[in-house]
Amino acid sequence: MDGGRIVMDVPWTLWPVGRLTGACAVGHTGPVPTVYKSPRGQFAVQQWCSDTLARADFPLTTASVGTSVGRVSLVSAGHRTPQVVVVPGTNFNAAVTLPWLRALSDRWATTVVDLPGQPGLSDPHRPRSGRMAWYGRVLDEVLTAADLNRVVLVGNSLGAAVALAADSPRIAVRALISPAGVTRLTVDPTLALASARWLVRPTADHARRVLRSFVAPGEEPPETEVAWMTLVATHCHTTLAPPPLPPELLTRRTNRPCIVAVGEHDRFLPPQRLGPALARTMNLDLRVLPGMGHLTTPSHLDDVVSLVAEVADQPLG
């Protein structure tokens, strides 16, 4: 317990990963879990993503690259250097983070990666264990396959832990928002109960109640996220949030510039817990974004752009 909260490895949900297995993805040596509960569910989720991208009101470029674990989908926009690469959080992808892509691509060429093993347009398989090292290697492969150099790597939640796990020399700097991987996430019993109800009965009302814990008090979650999380609970097996990365790995990541921020109302990574952990492991000061929770809603994206600009607009080595 920590201040009346349970300190756990928690995801967007508190449900254990399902044990559904499927055909092996490229590079796997045996049956591995898939994010989807059924082929019909995979079609529904990927159709939602494709339709959402097709409705975008700004120019996008879609592509996929081959990796040792299968195809990885990329969605890009913008033209100005440097190259920003966004790695979304648990259960999120390029389609759900279109507001991020639009805001960042107004300033820099930006690419969003759909992580494999998460709902989206990439390969659905993931390993049973060692996922953070696995995700780090996959992201390294993606940067090489897409020929992305001197990258400003922007990670959100799970995506921040992946950004820290990756070790590619193509990464110039990191900007981490509400980062998993530094300290354990916390959850209170109210959210645990709301998450269980959402998973057992995946309705929009239950998804909305869960997502209210991810935004600041008095703020409503965007309806796009409500619809998406209803779809995820219906058709997907979610994953647990990662535990903290090894301290020696976090220390090594200080050899390149890194900036870290969290919302002042983040219930999963409260600033008073994350700040000391960040100072202890990476000797970095935590930026606290006013009025924001764990979920970065469109109203807070200007703060994210300003944070990224602090590293992206500096000369990159």
Side-chain angles (χ1 to χ4, degrees):
M1 302 289 292
D2 177 30
R5 296 186 174 195
I6 306 170
V7 182
M8 305 175 62
D9 298 332
V10 292
W12 281 91
T13 127
L14 303 176
W15 212 248
V17 177
R19 300 189 61 84
L20 181 68
T21 59
C24 300
V26 176
H28 292 297
T29 58
V32 292
T34 174
V35 64
Y36 301 109
K37 296 177 182 178
S38 68
R40 182 177 67 85
Q42 179 173 350
F43 176 83
V45 167
Q46 294 187 335
Q47 189 67 53
W48 188 96
C49 293
S50 296
D51 289 347
T52 299
L53 294 173
R55 291 194 301 268
D57 58 358
F58 62 104
L60 303 176
T61 300
T62 59
S64 69
V65 295
T67 72
S68 62
V69 302
R71 304 297 296 181
V72 173
S73 176
L74 309 174
V75 180
S76 303
H79 302 287
R80 288 178 246 173
T81 58
Q83 176 68 54
V84 172
V85 174
V86 178
V87 188
T90 304
N91 290 330
F92 272 35
N93 52 50
V96 191
T97 57
L98 274 179
W100 284 64
L101 181 55
R102 179 163 196 164
L104 291 166
S105 66
D106 279 347
R107 293 279 296 271
W108 312 283
T110 303
T111 295
V112 183
V113 179
D114 276 20
L115 288 175
Q118 296 291 330
L121 298 177
S122 291
D123 189 281
H125 299 88
R126 57 198 176 205
R128 296 187 184 280
S129 61
R131 285 187 183 147
M132 292 318 302
W134 182 84
Y135 271 127
R137 290 192 298 271
V138 170
L139 184 54
D140 289 345
E141 291 183 35
V142 167
L143 297 181
T144 299
D147 195 25
L148 299 173
N149 289 298
R150 301 175 70 200
V151 163
V152 177
L153 190 57
V154 179
N156 178 227
S157 196
L158 169 67
V162 176
L164 287 166
D167 192 34
S168 172
R170 295 168 179 266
I171 301 168
V173 298
R174 293 176 175 86
L176 311 178
I177 316 297
S178 305
V182 177
T183 189
R184 292 183 185 274
L185 277 69
T186 64
V187 145
D188 58 53
T190 300
L191 177 59
L193 180 59
S195 297
R197 286 173 174 163
W198 164 60
L199 286 163
V200 171
R201 293 186 59 206
T203 66
D205 284 344
H206 287 159
R208 189 176 292 105
R209 289 192 185 100
V210 169
L211 286 172
R212 281 176 180 149
S213 298
F214 287 76
V215 297
E219 186 177 7
E220 284 295 314
E223 284 303 305
T224 298
E225 276 83 342
V226 171
W228 169 249
M229 294 303 283
T230 305
L231 192 69
V232 165
T234 302
H235 296 299
C236 300
H237 301 291
T238 190
T239 55
L240 295 172
L245 294 162
E248 59 274 15
L249 183 150
L250 294 174
T251 299
R252 289 200 306 272
R253 293 300 176 257
T254 60
N255 64 355
R256 295 173 204 166
C258 183
I259 191 167
V260 183
V262 73
E264 68 168 317
H265 299 295
D266 195 318
R267 295 172 60 178
F268 303 91
L269 293 166
Q272 63 269 24
R273 287 191 64 245
L274 180 59
L278 187 66
R280 184 175 61 253
T281 56
M282 300 184 71
N283 195 29
L284 292 175
D285 292 329
L286 178 67
R287 306 294 185 87
V288 179
L289 302 181
M292 195 175 93
H294 188 74
L295 180 66
T296 305
T297 59
S299 62
H300 299 294
L301 281 174
D302 284 348
D303 289 333
V304 171
V305 172
S306 296
L307 188 83
V308 173
E310 291 187 37
V311 289
D313 292 343
Q314 299 298 317
L316 302 181

